[in-house]
Amino acid sequence: MRLKWDLPNACVQTIDQHLQIAQKLASDVDLRILVWQEWGKGFIKLCKISPDAFLQMALQLAYFRDAGRFSLTYEASMTRLFRDGRTETVRPVSLESCAFVKGMDDKEKSKEEVIDLLKKACDKHVVCYKDAMQGKGVDRHLFCLYVVSRYLEVDSPFLEKVLSEPWRLSTSQTPHTQLPNDKWDLQNHPDRICAGGGFGPVADDGYGISYIIAGEDTIFFHCSSKHSSPETDSVRMRKGIARALRDMQALFDSKTKQQ
C-alpha cells in the first residue's frame, strides 16, 4: 500500500529550503578517483610491511607535499572486540611518520636510511591501530568526557580545544566486499571488481580520502575536497598520491625484483 502524505505549506517550504542547502553542499564536493594498478597489496607484502600502514604513510607524504605541513589526521578503526563496539580513531601522524616524510625528500639520505624510517613509521602505525582496536585509543574517551562535562555543566577549556581541532585529512580503508571469498574471488571473477564509494572532507580546507584494496594488484582511492576551498584541489591531490606511491615503490625496486 502506498502512503499518502498530507503536508502543510509550511512543511513543504521547509523541505524545499533544506533541499537547496543539501544541493549546495553536494555541488561543492569535488570527488576524484584514482585507480591504482601499477602494483597492489602483493607488492607491499613483498616489502614485509603492513599494507594499511604503507598506504597511510603514502597519504602522509602526499598531503605534506600538497599542503607544506602536517595536519591532524583521522583513520577509522573497528572496535568489534567489544559488545556494541563501533569505531575508534587512529591518529596516523607520529614522530616516526614525520621523520619518514621529511626523509623522503632529503637528498642526503640513502634509500636504506629512508626504508628504515618507513618501516619504523609503519611499525608505529600498526601499534597505534592495534591499540585503537583494543579500546586504548583516546578520542572516544575524550568525547565521553566532553558529553559528561556538558551534562554536569562543567566547563572544560581543554576538552573544547581538543575536540574543536579540524581533521584536515580524514581517511579510512573500506572493504572491497563483505561477501565470502569464494563469492568474490577477483582472480576467478575479475569482472566483479568495484571501486566502491568515498566520503566528503570533514574540514572545509581539508581532504576526505578512502581507499579500497581490491585483490593483490589494484587499489582504489577516493579523494574529495571542496570547490570553495582555495587551499585544496582533488585533482592535484590525486596526482600527489600517485607520485607518493611511485616514489615509495622506487625505494624497494631492486629488493622486490630479487625476490
Side-chain angles (χ1 to χ4, degrees):
M1 183 176 68
R2 185 171 183 176
L3 295 176
K4 293 184 178 180
W5 296 89
D6 182 13
L7 300 176
N9 290 333
C11 184
V12 173
Q13 291 176 3
T14 300
I15 292 174
D16 288 339
Q17 290 173 0
H18 285 82
L19 175 61
Q20 293 176 15
I21 294 173
Q23 289 175 331
K24 183 178 180 181
L25 289 171
S27 63
D28 193 28
V29 175
D30 181 17
L31 174 63
R32 306 289 172 160
I33 298 177
L34 170 63
V35 182
W36 183 260
Q37 293 182 307
E38 295 185 19
W39 45 264
K41 181 175 66 175
F43 164 76
I44 302 176
K45 289 190 294 186
L46 287 176
C47 300
K48 299 181 180 179
I49 295 177
S50 157
D52 181 74
F54 189 97
L55 297 179
Q56 281 290 331
M57 293 309 112
L59 295 181
Q60 286 299 313
L61 177 58
Y63 181 83
F64 184 80
R65 287 171 170 175
D66 183 84
R69 65 175 185 269
F70 297 106
S71 289
L72 191 61
T73 303
Y74 174 95
E75 180 187 6
S77 165
M78 295 294 103
T79 53
R80 292 176 180 171
L81 294 175
F82 299 91
R83 177 180 175 181
D84 299 327
R86 296 191 65 191
T87 64
E88 175 56 280
T89 302
V90 183
R91 295 183 173 225
V93 178
S94 63
L95 293 175
E96 290 82 359
S97 71
C98 294
F100 157 68
V101 168
K102 291 179 179 179
M104 275 296 292
D105 291 329
D106 186 345
K107 295 181 180 179
E108 295 185 0
K109 291 193 178 299
S110 65
K111 281 189 176 183
E112 289 71 23
E113 290 176 311
V114 178
I115 290 174
D116 183 60
L117 290 173
L118 172 60
K119 289 186 174 181
K120 288 179 179 178
C122 289
D123 288 344
K124 177 67 174 181
H125 185 81
V126 170
V127 170
C128 291
Y129 198 99
K130 289 181 178 179
D131 283 346
M133 289 181 64
Q134 296 172 20
K136 299 177 183 177
V138 299
D139 287 274
R140 298 301 176 267
H141 295 291
L142 290 173
F143 180 70
C144 288
L145 289 173
Y146 176 74
V147 171
V148 172
S149 72
R150 294 294 298 236
Y151 174 76
L152 297 176
E153 298 183 348
V154 175
D155 290 333
S156 175
F158 167 74
L159 290 174
E160 291 179 2
K161 183 179 187 303
V162 169
L163 296 176
S164 65
E165 293 179 345
W167 300 94
R168 289 194 172 90
L169 183 56
S170 181
T171 72
S172 180
Q173 179 186 165
T174 55
H176 184 252
T177 177
Q178 295 188 17
L179 295 174
N181 289 335
D182 60 333
K183 301 289 185 182
W184 213 271
D185 184 350
L186 295 181
Q187 289 186 339
N188 296 323
H189 305 284
D191 58 312
R192 297 182 182 178
I193 196 168
C194 176
F199 49 82
V202 174
D204 290 338
D205 59 347
Y207 291 102
I209 302 177
S210 69
Y211 50 99
I212 298 174
I213 299 175
E216 296 292 310
D217 304 306
T218 303
I219 306 171
F220 295 104
F221 293 88
H222 296 76
C223 180
S224 68
S225 62
K226 291 192 174 184
H227 289 292
S228 57
S229 172
E231 297 184 27
T232 54
D233 184 319
S234 294
V235 173
R236 186 181 70 213
M237 187 59 170
R238 179 176 63 183
K239 292 179 180 178
I241 294 172
R243 178 192 170 196
L245 293 171
R246 291 191 181 100
D247 288 349
M248 291 171 68
Q249 177 200 19
L251 294 172
F252 295 92
D253 263 352
S254 59
K255 295 179 179 295
T256 53
K257 284 178 181 177
Q258 291 174 2
Q259 298 177 18

